Amino acid sequence: MTTTTSRTDVVLPPLTRVYRSRASVELKEFFRQRESVVFTLLFPVILLGVFGAVLDYDIGAGVSFTQYFMAGIIAAGILGASLQNMAISIATERSDGTLKHLAGTPMPKSAYFIGKVVQVLAVTVLIIVVLLAVGGLAYGVPLPSGSDWVTFAWVAALGAAACTLLGIAVSSLARNGRSASAMVTPIALVLQFISGVFFQFSQVPTWMQTIASLFPLKWMAQGLRSVFLPDVLAAQEPAGSWELDRVALVLGLWCVAGLVLCVLTFRWQDR
Amino acid sequence: MQKDSLLPTGKGPRPPHPAQAQGGTRDGAAAGPWREPDPDAAISIRGLVKRYGTATAVDGLDLDIHRGEIFALLGPNGAGKTTTVEICEGFRRRDGGEVRVLGTDPAEASRRWKAQLGIVLQSGAGDSQLTCRELVRAEASYHADPRDPDEVLELVGLTEKADARGRLLSGGQRRRLDVALGIVGRPTLLFLDEPTTGFDPEARRQFWSLIRSLRDLGTTMLLTTHYLDEAEALADRVGVIAHGRLVEVAVPAALGGRGQAPAVVSWTEDGVRRTADTATPTAFVRELATRFPGEVPDLAVARPTLEDVYLRMIGHEQ
Ligand SMILES: Nc1ncnc2c1ncn2[C@@H]1O[C@H](COP(=O)(O)OP(=O)(O)OP(=O)(O)O)[C@@H](O)[C@H]1O
Ligand SMILES: [Mg+2]
């Protein structure tokens, strides 16, 4: 081998500075893009408004469908902020050369993903806050209480983590942002229909329930129903209970699968 | 921040690079005996091969780029310039040969190694909702000791557009932003893959003086371009690449035997335009001057331009 004369005295900036910088870049990229703000943030709120006004029937135990829908639309909002957002934005950045440019800088690769995580976190929290506010003020959906907040937090966090990882993995399948959107939007819509977002899950045909239970959205919605609905309604679930242990298990498995897929498929440039 | 400011300071010109005094070397084209890559060179390439499927894009390329030198890589579309440059930058894998960039194999790129590079890709740096200033600041944050972002924007002539979003820039402005992102980290070695595409003439001149001041600071540069005047104005040496092979490496004035090529003397005599090829234009003109009482009408002495010899070389290759 050749002797190398590479320098070892080159200084790198502190990681925290790079992480902060990437976080700020990602927040600006999201909130300055009208399409992403409307599609990801406003759309769930509009749906809540429409469904709350139209489907205000009693689903039992004196609970309105709007309250049921709150769990579903928050789950769908998290899906949009994480899976759909990541798949589309990363596919776009890969096809327009942003990722390749970053790969040529001394930026640590971890900083890119930290920035994305901060973006997902910020958008997710914002969606949840807005949905809770609109649901509470316009439709009288009560806020969760006591230990339900803990369930709320871990279901949302675990679901967002699984869907972020899946979104990063899915971005590698698409040629560009547009094709990522064409791929992931219909899938998300179908999943929303069969996972108990727009209808009560108990009204979905059994074979569709089976398909839905393979994917994270159904488990996020179910976990969140345990937060927003009284426990008597657990009887309406397929298993007759909220199955929170199973929610944690399936979402955890999707995190592992998503991470493996990311590591196997992530590319910094177009093929 | 001012220790190596690029803004005009009235500093004297730098002495010419040693390679410039040597005249034309053919260290690229000669199929000489195998030599190890030179670890002290900024870039050292030996027998580089790159294939895409069955097509060979780079076919046994040898090249040394010295520290502190500006090297221009010329060649027709598809010659293999970007492929070679992006292998040096660590973006593409090679299929054969050895490459050392700042003493390191680019296939084993580390962050410390990348911190010494500035990269302006032919494909640009992507779209963004951020403003020029925010983008240059973000880029600066990846480096321990970056240039002042506002100064960098001024150097590339984007001060007026500092608060405009990256995606709303014109083509040439976007390219200037790419250059700004490439130099903000104070690179030791700067790669510029067709950096001036879309520049207006004034921006090009401004870019040239930026490149010269970077050279005065000791920055090594590998530049690809289709503008021969740019290569001639900036480069210490130029290499011509065709079909993935270096055809010749020389100082611009000596490329293609340009220095020794016969000069063409032209003048008007008895109302007729006349020309003569001569290896001794001075003697020829002195002799010519004796035939006229005063000025020789319409006298001109010309050497083949870089474009003439370049086109001749490329023509032979194809
Ligand atoms: N990713 C790729 N996959 C397949 N073929 C490629 C790829 N990149 C380049 N090539 C081919 O390799 C050859 C060299 O391409 P390269 O981009 O290096 O040329 P270049 O000298 O930079 O040309 P230009 O002046 O047009 O930028 C071309 O024939 C090109 O079609
Ligand atoms: Mg090219």
Side-chain angles (χ1 to χ4, degrees):
Chain A
M1 276 316 293
T2 342
T3 53
T4 74
T5 53
S6 51
R7 290 169 52 191
T8 48
D9 60 335
V10 180
V11 189
L12 294 170
L15 275 183
T16 47
R17 194 213 293 172
V18 190
Y19 288 169
R20 254 203 320 267
S21 158
R22 285 306 307 174
S24 134
V25 167
E26 292 293 353
L27 292 178
K28 288 170 185 157
E29 290 285 5
F30 181 89
F31 286 103
R32 286 183 192 174
Q33 183 163 28
R34 207 175 303 130
E35 296 94 314
S36 64
V37 172
V38 169
F39 183 74
T40 311
L41 261 179
L42 240 46
F43 195 51
V45 178
I46 294 169
L47 284 180
L48 177 64
V50 171
F51 274 67
V54 177
L55 297 174
D56 195 19
Y57 62 94
D58 193 318
I59 62 163
V63 172
S64 74
F65 179 75
T66 314
Q67 192 165 336
Y68 188 96
F69 187 58
M70 187 58 121
I73 196 64
I74 289 179
I78 296 173
L79 189 78
S82 52
L83 197 150
Q84 289 166 271
N85 177 21
M86 287 299 101
I88 294 167
S89 73
I90 296 178
T92 305
E93 290 179 339
R94 187 177 292 113
S95 67
D96 75 14
T98 304
L99 278 185
K100 182 173 180 178
H101 167 79
L102 287 175
T105 73
M107 179 197 77
K109 305 256 154 101
S110 60
Y112 178 74
F113 298 102
I114 297 270
K116 290 293 183 198
V117 167
V118 170
Q119 186 193 71
V120 170
L121 222 62
V123 177
T124 301
V125 169
L126 195 63
I127 287 181
I128 291 174
V129 168
V130 173
L131 286 174
L132 287 178
V134 172
L137 297 176
Y139 301 105
V141 177
L143 287 178
S145 58
S147 67
D148 282 344
W149 281 110
V150 178
T151 313
F152 194 175
W154 73 253
V155 170
L158 201 57
C163 292
T164 301
L165 290 162
L166 275 174
I168 296 171
V170 166
S171 77
S172 302
L173 300 174
R175 238 174 310 106
N176 52 44
R178 206 173 294 210
S179 77
S181 173
M183 209 162 68
V184 92
T185 312
I187 295 177
L189 200 63
V190 170
L191 282 183
Q192 285 164 13
F193 273 106
I194 66 174
S195 300
V197 172
F198 299 127
F199 310 118
Q200 283 176 262
F201 192 62
S202 53
Q203 294 170 359
V204 174
T206 321
W207 65 273
M208 282 191 191
Q209 287 186 352
T210 310
I211 294 174
S213 15
L214 296 175
F215 297 96
L217 183 61
K218 181 255 182 191
W219 300 98
M220 283 157 64
Q222 187 171 319
L224 293 179
R225 282 198 294 276
S226 85
V227 172
F228 286 94
L229 301 182
D231 284 341
V232 287
L233 287 180
Q236 290 188 5
E237 297 294 324
S241 79
W242 300 123
E243 293 182 290
L244 285 181
D245 48 351
R246 173 119 349 161
V247 170
L249 179 72
V250 176
L251 293 180
L253 283 175
W254 271 112
C255 283
V256 174
L259 187 63
V260 171
L261 284 173
C262 283
V263 170
L264 291 180
T265 61
F266 195 84
R267 287 175 283 116
W268 291 89
Q269 39 182 318
D270 263 331
R271 260 182 301 242
Chain B
M1 215 37 100
Q2 292 307 310
K3 63 177 175 272
D4 61 350
S5 169
L6 291 178
L7 295 170
T9 55
K11 217 190 285 181
R14 205 184 66 112
H17 193 277
Q20 219 159 358
Q22 255 163 256
T25 60
R26 295 184 62 89
D27 61 344
W34 171 264
R35 294 173 296 142
E36 285 283 315
D38 177 357
D40 294 321
I43 299 177
S44 191
I45 302 173
R46 295 288 178 274
L48 179 64
V49 175
K50 175 68 183 179
R51 295 185 202 93
Y52 298 110
T54 55
T56 304
V58 179
D59 188 10
L61 188 129
D62 289 356
L63 179 64
D64 279 323
I65 296 175
H66 314 297
R67 292 192 183 247
E69 152 173 68
I70 300 183
F71 191 97
L73 207 48
L74 305 176
N77 292 138
K81 301 182 296 297
T82 297
T83 301
T84 303
V85 169
E86 293 201 355
I87 288 172
C88 293
E89 293 163 344
F91 285 116
R92 305 189 193 193
R93 301 281 146 196
R94 59 183 185 263
D95 295 308
E98 286 296 318
V99 180
R100 290 288 175 279
V101 174
L102 301 179
T104 297
D105 183 341
E108 289 148 23
S110 70
R111 285 180 60 209
R112 276 176 210 284
W113 177 75
K114 284 186 202 163
Q116 302 170 69
L117 307 183
I119 297 178
V120 176
L121 291 167
Q122 182 169 13
S123 50
D127 271 345
S128 181
Q129 301 289 341
L130 270 64
T131 66
C132 296
R133 184 181 285 117
E134 288 167 337
L135 282 167
V136 177
R137 283 200 180 146
E139 189 86 7
S141 76
Y142 312 149
H143 296 268
D145 179 30
R147 294 200 158 92
D148 173 27
D150 288 319
E151 185 182 308
V152 169
L153 285 171
E154 187 180 339
L155 286 167
V156 300
L158 277 180
T159 302
E160 276 170 36
K161 288 283 171 184
D163 295 313
R165 293 199 189 177
R167 61 181 316 142
L168 301 179
L169 297 178
S170 77
Q173 289 166 345
R174 198 176 275 223
R175 207 64 189 133
R176 297 193 216 181
L177 177 61
D178 292 337
V179 173
L181 298 178
I183 65 170
V184 72
R186 286 181 213 279
T188 310
L189 170 60
L190 178 58
F191 293 97
L192 298 155
D193 197 354
E194 298 191 23
T196 57
T197 307
F199 277 29
D200 62 43
E202 197 192 337
R204 185 184 301 276
R205 290 302 165 128
Q206 194 184 2
F207 171 79
W208 289 3
S209 75
L210 167 62
I211 294 304
R212 291 188 181 115
S213 29
L214 286 168
R215 182 200 13 216
D216 292 342
L217 295 171
T219 311
T220 310
M221 284 170 267
L222 172 54
L223 165 88
T224 79
T225 183
H226 290 296
Y227 300 105
L228 294 153
D229 57 339
E230 189 161 288
E232 185 151 35
L234 294 178
D236 296 312
R237 291 190 300 153
V238 296
V240 177
I241 184 171
H243 303 294
R245 291 177 155 275
L246 264 188
V247 183
E248 187 171 344
V249 176
V251 303
L255 194 77
R258 212 176 143 205
Q260 283 84 50
V264 180
V265 180
S266 53
W267 71 98
T268 305
E269 192 166 6
D270 307 327
V272 184
R273 189 78 185 147
R274 291 168 183 265
T275 62
D277 287 359
T278 170
T280 54
T282 312
F284 188 92
V285 169
R286 194 180 294 127
E287 201 276 327
L288 191 63
T290 63
R291 306 200 334 229
F292 294 90
E295 286 293 305
V296 180
D298 307 321
L299 175 67
V301 181
R303 297 272 185 187
T305 64
L306 184 57
E307 188 156 296
D308 293 335
V309 296
Y310 170 77
L311 289 174
R312 186 157 42 75
M313 292 170 82
I314 296 309
H316 280 315
E317 280 297 310
Q318 289 172 345

